[in-house]
Amino acid sequence: MSGLSIENLSMRFDLPNGSSVQALQDVSLQLAEGELLSVLGPSGCGKTTLLNIVAGFLAPTDGQLVLNGHRVSGPDAERGMVFQKGALFEWMSVRDNVSFGPRMAGKREAEWGEEVDHLLEIVGLQDFKEKAIYELSGGMQQRVALARCLANHPDVILMDEPLGALDALTREKMQSLVLKLWKETGKTIILITHSVEEALLLGERLLVMAPRPGRIHKEYRLPFADLGVGQDLREVKKHPEFAERREEILGMIWDMEEEIMGRSEESA
Amino acid sequence: MSALIVLLIYVAIFVGSFFLVKLAVQSATNDFTSLKTVTFGDESAVRPNRIASVVSIVSIFVLWGAFTGSSLLPGFLHAPGPFIGDATFTYTAEADGQAADDATVTVRVFEVGTDAEEPTVEAGDGWAKNDAATIGAWRSGLIRVDKNDEFGRKEGHRIVAVNGEAIAPGGAVETEFGRVGMSQKGTLNFVPNKGWQMEPIWLPAPEAVVSRIGSIAAEGYRGSTLWEHLGYSLFRVVVGFFFGALVGIPLGYAMGLSNWFRGWFDPIVEFMRPVPPLALIPLVIIWAGIGETGKIILLFLAALWIMAIAARSGVSGVAISKVHAAYSLGASKTQIMRHVIVPNSLPEIFTGARVAMGVCWGTVVAAELVAAEQGAGMMIMVASKFQNTDIVIMGIVLIGIIGFGIDILMRMAEKALVPWKGKI
């Protein structure tokens, strides 16, 4: 069985004061190979916790995770991660960052050199191979992070708000790049984002999560990711269904936020 | 008194040169920082005024020269020196049944270290005879003027006035050349004017210190050459620091990576950290003696805790996303140690190393002050016992230069090895 299967995942943190927080409750999800899932939700809905569990950085208190037929525990090269920022290795050049995975696997440059250079070309950094990380702009750094993840050939790519720290224009360019890479490589991708537009544009499937306890609120299947490949994303946004879905989801998230506010006002 | 004068002059130079420079020098640059209007409160807009630095250094040396009568400075810049030459004053003596009689005292005030002959004086008329004496500059001396008088103390010789001013036992008269006091027994005590300059045994002139560096560099001191003294100190610091880092860095990593190590060593490190290494000197001397072993153990202990804490905070300073990323890229624990944790902790380790080097350098000098055969600290300690202030100052200057040099070297190494420091 190929693909990623999340089965009845629950996560409860015990707090030092004796109470506990239910970060995730009974989350189940099937993801076929090559699907792009974007996850959206108000802060505190457990989407980052979910991603950390899938990546293997956290062990769930209940439930399990099955990837391509085997149970997942702990981080592994089969699940690559792209962080929001600050996960690049400043003491290495751009090329050394991108080739980190293959090098750690003990491969020689003859095996990865050509591909790494090709990836750097795709993300438009062929002229910055030997530059230090701190000499690059934020957008360039995220492109390095993307290339580094791809160079390691993971089965699943996990993205934790990878474009959240970028300015609007760079963000739009990066969204096109993510779509292009997704189509070209056919990877399974889970993308966490705060931006409703980004979730709609990139997500072939879209998951809206609700907080306290963190759970799946609603799931969509969307056409925009396919439309966006090879097309100006601003054209996609003009699509009538796009505006409709955006309003619907924004309304949903606003309702959740208001509910949280109301609850905390009650308790206060 | 003269310390206050020096301080006042120094403050005057500080304020005066500020206004002078402000008037004379108009900023010609129009770079980004110079165009900032808010500089008070914006630390990044405060840049060292290089003119102030030059004036600061120059005025320290000028003050030093002026108040030591340095030959490097033109005479008009010298602070008033001590009186040197022949001083005279008169005294009026009485004796039982005799009329008061005047006589003159001639005192030759000479530079200490040169030969001085007593001035020849004529005895003069009357029963009180003229006297002569020699006194070194900055010193004082008792003058028994009654000895050559016709009526001595047995006959009730007593001095009633100096330069016409009445004087009594315990009193004093200020004269043109200095102060004439009278002891309880009625003996005159002459203190020539000291001026504002410092006596060489308190503060030698700059050129005396420089020439002392030359002579000690050529001849050595206390059986070792200058380079041996400094080399011994440096050797102890380098060896002590090396072993401290060799043990401290892995210990710090272990504390940052393992619960058991953290729990085991936390109380020890946290206890030893606030103990100043100087407080360990007596114990180390009891255990290991005053030889090299003892000093190296001391410096090892001085560097150990600093390096352990630096390495520990280096590990805790690794952004967790970097470690996560490395695991997700398939790196093993060893690879994460080598490729992520060690390079990421280098900035902290370098900061720690700079601190540790400074502490070691200070500690080695202190340890040598207590007991040593060779070393920079031993040099100044022994010299101070013989009032060789020029050697003491030479030692302090050399210790300062070497300490500064060590820090510069560490900074250069840091820049070469950790170019990303402060840029993340």
Side-chain angles (χ1 to χ4, degrees), chain B residues 347-358:
Chain B
E348 294 271 1
I349 291 199
F350 263 102
T351 309
R354 271 175 65 192
V355 173
M357 269 299 205

Side-chain angles (χ1 to χ4, degrees), chain A residues 23-209:
Chain A
L24 289 175
Q25 194 165 51
D26 211 15
V27 173
S28 292
L29 185 73
Q30 300 290 324
L31 210 59
E33 202 177 328
E35 277 188 319
L36 204 173
L37 172 80
S38 56
V39 182
L40 199 59
S43 39
C45 70
K47 50 191 192 299
T48 297
T49 307
L50 176 67
L51 203 72
N52 279 334
I53 292 172
V54 177
F57 304 144
L58 286 173
T61 40
D62 255 313
Q64 64 169 352
L65 210 74
V66 178
L67 176 63
N68 297 336
H70 67 271
R71 218 183 137 162
V72 159
S73 64
D76 191 284
E78 68 193 4
R79 281 156 286 130
M81 183 103 167
V82 180
F83 294 84
Q84 183 173 12
K85 61 183 291 194
L88 294 174
F89 307 130
E90 278 83 4
W91 43 93
M92 296 178 193
S93 68
V94 168
R95 194 163 188 266
D96 285 349
N97 262 283
V98 174
S99 61
F100 186 80
R103 285 192 293 127
M104 292 305 108
K107 291 181 182 156
R108 277 167 298 134
E109 182 166 355
E111 296 171 70
W112 51 257
E114 217 171 296
E115 197 202 343
V116 165
D117 289 340
H118 176 63
L119 277 169
L120 283 169
E121 218 166 289
I122 293 178
V123 298
L125 290 174
Q126 63 273 27
D127 297 333
F128 297 87
K129 281 179 200 170
E130 299 308 325
K131 284 266 192 264
I133 294 301
Y134 53 84
E135 294 175 279
L136 304 184
S137 68
M140 286 160 123
Q141 291 189 5
Q142 283 314 85
R143 283 186 266 160
V144 177
L146 270 176
R148 181 175 73 175
C149 189
L150 289 169
N152 204 36
H153 300 293
D155 297 332
V156 181
I157 298 179
L158 309 169
M159 298 186 176
D160 188 3
E161 296 183 38
L163 314 181
L166 304 180
D167 65 274
L169 205 65
T170 315
R171 194 167 182 159
E172 220 171 274
K173 288 186 206 156
M174 289 291 289
Q175 287 165 349
S176 299
L177 180 66
V178 170
L179 279 181
K180 181 176 149 200
L181 290 174
W182 170 59
K183 267 295 156 205
E184 276 178 18
T185 58
K187 298 282 179 199
T188 314
I189 299 179
I190 300 180
L191 174 108
I192 284 184
T193 176
H194 260 124
S195 153
V196 176
E197 279 201 355
E198 187 167 286
L200 286 168
L201 280 174
L202 301 186
E204 190 186 20
R205 289 169 66 187
L206 194 161
L207 212 62
V208 181
M209 291 184 71

Side-chain angles (χ1 to χ4, degrees), chain B residues 141 162 191 397:
Chain B
V162 166
V191 187
V397 169

